[in-house]
Every structure is written in C-alpha cells, then in structure tokens.
Amino acid sequence: MSQQARIGVAGLAVMGSNLARNLARRGHPVALYNRTVARTEELVAEHGQEGEFRPARTPEEFVAALERPRRIIVMVKAGEPTDAVIDQFASLLEPGDVIIDGGNAHFADTRRRDAALRERGLQFVGMGISGGEEGALHGPSLMPGGPAGAYESLAPMLRDIAAVVDGVPCVTHIGPDGAGHFVKMVHNGIEYADMQLIAEAYDLLRHAAGLDPGEIAEVFGTWNGGRLSSYLVEITAEVLAHTDAATGRPFVDVVLDQAEQKGTGRWTVQLALDLGVPVSGIAEAVFARSLSGHAGLRRAARDLPGPRGGTPAGAGLADEVEQALYASKIVAYAQGFDQIRAGSDEYGWGVDLGAVASIWRGGCIIRAGFLDRIRAAYDADPQLSTLLTAPHFADALGGAQQAWRRVVATAVERGIPVPGFAAALSYYDGLRAGRLPASLVQAQRDYFGAHTYRRVDRDGVFHTRWGQDRTEHRQD
C-alpha cells in the first residue's frame, strides 16, 4: 500500500461512491470522506477489494491522507451544501492544492468560488460529469474547467476513468473558471430537447400511425442501427418494449405523464436569454415538462374542442418521422453549440467546440453517432457560423424537407402536440428567410415607445414622429 492517497472524494452518495470506485479500480489510491461515517464504512466494506481506499472519519484526517498537492473531488448537492464543504476543506489546505466540484453547479457559482479560492492560493476546478451513476462507475464524459495547471495535474487520472471512443478518452480541458459547468449545463439543455423530440416521435407513431408500444420499440430499435444511433434512442426502445409486471400493460402506460426536472434545462434557457441566443428547441422542451406537471390546468382544459380523429396514417409514417426527428435533432444540437460559443465569447473561455463534440461521443447521456459528424464539422471550420450549414447537415436538412413539414402538418391536423418538431422547423425557416416580419415589430416599437429603427437603404438610426406630423428624423 502507498503511504498517501493520490486523490480524495468527499460526498459518498451514489455518484461520489461510484466515482471513487472507478478511480480505485484503475489503480489510484483514493481517500474517502462522508459527513455520515457509516456511509464511508459501508463503501469500504462492500467494495474495498476493488482498489486502495483510505477512509477518514474527520476532514482533518481526510486531508492528511492525501499526497501533495492535495486533490479533492467534492460530490455533494449543488448550492449551499457545496459552499459549506468547500469552506470546510479550504481552511485545511495549502497553496497549490486543488478542489474539484463534480456536482451540477451553476456556472456563476463556479466563477465565484474560483475567484475566492484563487485569493487563498488554492486551485478550483468546476467539472461537469455526465453519464449518471453507471457512467461514474464505468466511464463518464468529463468536462473540467479551471486553471490549465490544475487540469494537467488531474489529467492522467481523469483520462483513466473517462469513457473512451476510438481510443480517445472523453475528457478535455474546457476552459477557465466556469467553462466546464457552463458546457455541462448546455449538455443538459440539449438532453432535454433530445428527449422531448424522441417523445414526440413516439406520440406520433402511437396516435397518428396507430402502432402499439411494442411495435414502436421495434421502430426505435431499427433507428438505433442507423444515423439516429444514440444512447437515448437505444433506451427508448427498451422502455417501450418493457411490460409492467403488476398489470401486464405496456410500462409506458402505467407511468404518470408528468415529467420532472432538476433545473439545468431551465438554466440553459435563462442564460440563452441573457446571451441573446435563440434556443427555441431547448426552451420548448423545458416548457413541455412544465406543462405536463400542471395537472389541474390540464384537467380544466381536457374538454376543449379539437380536431376529429382521422384514420391511422399507417406504418409508412415512421420513415417520415425518422427524417423529422433527425432534422430536429440537428437543430437542437446546433442551438446548443451556438450557446456554448456565445458563452465562450462573453467570458473569454476559448472553448474548442470540436473537442466538446468529441468528449460527448461516449459516457454522457446525449452520446450519439452523429457527434462524430459535429466534431468533424468544427474541426474543418472552427469558425463555422452554424452547424446547419456544414455540408453533411445541410444535405440532411435538405433531404428531410418534405417529410419534416408533412410530419408537423399531420400533428397539427390531428391535434397531437409537437412543440419540439414545430419549434425546430420554425427556427430553420426563420434562419433561411430572406426577410422577417421583425421589420413590423421594430416599426411598432418606434410608434409606441420611440425606440427608433434602422433603414435598409441608408445608414443611421431614425425615429418617425407618429403622434405629430409623421416626419422622419435621424437620431444618431
């Protein structure tokens, strides 16, 4: 046994425990600390044979068990609990030591903590971890932000425990201070959109094509063998094929149709508004979850009139839904990457979008085959304005046009809500439009609020005196 642990994990709930086990399995001695000592003892008793663990009963004992520079991964609930644990350890550490926050922290909190700890000579790493409890144990996607030097000291261990795709570990230094948690936040926002689009595809196949859950499971299984290959499509097929043991009904029919959320999707939309980035697909996914949870509102509206049901569209609709799903996913990912670029520009992070796509290919919840295409697109043109114009994606969107529009029209005609599909298509049409009705909106703003406008035929800022003689005056 080595004298001291190479790294420590504080907070031994499922994610923290599995991350500690992952590190130990790969030959890294790990110090363990949990506020409840029994949890530490339980982990060692159940999994002590997997590697070298150094259990500690107190923060002081935990810090003393670590080699220098000390490295501590904090895995506790985001917010005040994280601040409390960081403060507890910071007073025991020395300049050059590293604290890593592996929770789902808001990136602004990460920036604040980074600045405060830097003043004390400590290095702070805000690290997004995706993949859930299985990923933490077997190989997550890791998104560390913070000082480059701190990342270099952690990199060998992080590469050992990360998921690997094509021989490349799914970890990279995202950028300074809050960059890692910002990218993880957007990852989760894309995840919301992806899940909503998949749910809408299921709803269409069920209520427009007339397929039962078992048949839809087969459709998703087939899709997972093609360009829609992804973790989320794979597990969707498994969920839809599952039968409830208690009732014999399809499992999806016994689950209450109210989707919950923990907040990262909402943060993504809030920050997109602050940055002025349109992420309509992600926003509609967040609002769809919110609507699903308003049980009283939904009950009150249940008898509102709608279209009469038509005859089933048949299994042939599945091919068109596949095209609409792929096109809409492209839009959702494009919006997410646009937001990462905007955040990187705003805060001076220098995020490599191709590298982000690369580390999302394995371990994380949104891992998908087409992330290779996204990585290649940004590698070919790091300044790419939008993924939608990259050759592969432009061709895919062009090929999906008629099917995509027919799917949305079919949903509207039958009263099937498809906010994700419709928002993606509207965003696409908005981008490609030669002229938008925003000209009328700006004219209205000038009329009631003297907010001014610009003209298409000459430079300058103008205001029309609407309530007077309606003459135009240059304002700049």
Side-chain angles (χ1 to χ4, degrees):
M1 278 193 178
S2 59
Q3 289 298 308
Q4 291 181 299
R6 196 163 298 153
I7 194 165
V9 177
L12 301 177
V14 175
M15 283 292 289
S17 295
N18 282 2
L19 201 64
R21 292 172 58 196
N22 189 347
L23 284 158
R25 285 177 171 186
R26 283 156 179 78
H28 301 289
V30 184
L32 304 173
Y33 174 75
N34 196 73
R35 186 171 55 87
T36 304
V37 177
R39 184 71 194 93
T40 307
E41 295 172 343
E42 180 184 340
L43 173 59
V44 175
E46 292 182 3
H47 305 290
Q49 77 286 355
E50 294 181 345
E52 292 187 35
F53 293 110
R54 301 283 184 275
R57 302 178 67 86
T58 67
E60 292 79 5
E61 191 178 319
F62 177 66
V63 169
L66 294 165
E67 68 179 23
R68 297 182 183 179
R70 303 175 183 92
R71 307 173 188 92
I72 297 173
I73 302 178
V74 176
M75 297 294 294
V76 299
K77 186 177 180 181
E80 292 182 3
T82 299
D83 280 323
V85 172
I86 289 173
D87 289 344
Q88 182 180 45
F89 287 120
S91 62
L92 302 173
L93 298 176
E94 297 176 339
D97 290 345
V98 184
I99 297 177
I100 306 104
D101 175 14
N104 268 335
H106 193 288
F107 88 101
D109 287 338
T110 303
R111 299 189 79 212
R112 169 178 57 78
R113 291 165 183 151
D114 172 75
L117 291 174
R118 199 181 321 124
E119 289 184 358
R120 303 173 69 165
L122 301 176
Q123 301 187 83
F124 185 67
V125 172
M127 183 168 69
I129 301 175
S130 181
E133 58 188 72
E134 286 299 306
L137 181 60
H138 300 294
S141 174
L142 300 172
M143 293 154 260
Y151 173 73
E152 289 305 317
S153 75
L154 294 166
M157 285 181 282
L158 298 183
R159 291 178 186 131
D160 281 349
I161 66 171
V164 177
V165 177
D166 297 333
V168 179
C170 293
V171 58
T172 191
H173 182 227
I174 301 297
D177 55 74
H181 277 142
F182 186 94
V183 167
K184 175 57 165 57
M185 175 194 72
V186 177
H187 164 283
N188 286 19
I190 295 172
E191 179 184 309
Y192 274 54
D194 207 340
M195 293 173 71
Q196 176 64 25
L197 293 169
I198 288 171
E200 291 177 17
Y202 152 75
D203 208 19
L204 284 160
L205 294 177
R206 183 105 190 242
H207 297 110
L211 304 182
D212 63 40
E215 292 170 323
I216 301 172
E218 293 180 6
V219 171
F220 273 91
T222 300
W223 288 352
N224 194 49
R227 62 182 181 173
L228 285 172
S229 173
S230 69
Y231 173 72
L232 286 171
V233 169
E234 176 186 348
I235 67 170
T236 298
E238 293 192 23
V239 169
L240 291 174
H242 184 56
T243 300
D244 177 54
T247 64
R249 297 169 60 192
F251 176 71
V252 71
D253 288 347
V254 302
V255 177
L256 185 66
D257 61 339
Q258 295 180 15
E260 300 177 1
Q261 53 184 308
K262 290 187 175 180
T264 46
R266 186 166 60 249
W267 291 349
T268 304
V269 177
Q270 290 168 341
L271 264 297
L273 291 171
D274 291 342
L275 291 168
V277 181
V279 294
S280 52
I282 297 171
E284 288 296 345
V286 173
F287 289 137
R289 291 196 190 189
S290 180
L291 186 150
S292 77
H294 281 270
L297 183 63
R298 292 171 61 198
R299 278 194 301 271
R302 194 143 294 155
D303 293 330
L304 289 174
R308 296 178 181 178
T311 57
L317 179 64
D319 290 338
E320 293 190 334
V321 173
E322 188 272 347
Q323 294 185 64
L325 178 56
Y326 190 65
S328 299
K329 279 167 65 79
I330 292 170
V331 169
Y333 281 69
Q335 291 179 351
F337 276 90
D338 287 348
Q339 183 168 357
I340 293 173
R341 169 169 285 158
S344 178
D345 290 345
E346 175 72 15
Y347 299 105
W349 289 329
V351 177
D352 183 336
L353 298 181
V356 170
S358 182
I359 66 171
W360 285 353
R361 293 182 302 160
C364 69
I365 303 302
I366 64 171
R367 59 185 183 267
F370 87 143
L371 279 158
D372 250 335
R373 299 278 192 179
I374 296 177
R375 176 193 55 77
Y378 282 116
D379 285 350
D381 182 4
Q383 302 307 314
L384 185 66
S385 296
T386 171
L387 276 174
L388 307 189
T389 59
H392 169 79
F393 297 117
D395 289 347
L397 292 165
Q401 285 300 297
Q402 298 309 312
W404 196 5
R405 296 176 192 281
R406 277 195 297 267
V407 164
V408 173
T410 296
V412 171
E413 289 171 353
R414 292 169 181 265
I416 299 172
V418 287
F421 282 163
L425 183 57
S426 291
Y427 175 84
Y428 174 82
D429 283 339
L431 283 186
R432 68 179 193 82
R435 186 165 171 79
L436 292 169
S439 57
L440 177 58
V441 173
Q442 192 61 23
Q444 292 170 329
R445 295 182 74 242
D446 186 61
Y447 190 106
F448 66 69
H451 292 296
T452 73
Y453 54 88
R454 295 181 182 274
R455 298 178 58 96
V456 299
D457 54 357
R458 59 181 183 271
D459 293 335
V461 177
F462 301 87
H463 166 59
T464 293
R465 294 176 176 173
W466 297 100
Q468 302 174 36
D469 58 4
R470 300 201 173 190
T471 55
E472 181 179 78
H473 294 265
R474 186 165 179 154
Q475 303 295 298
D476 58 341

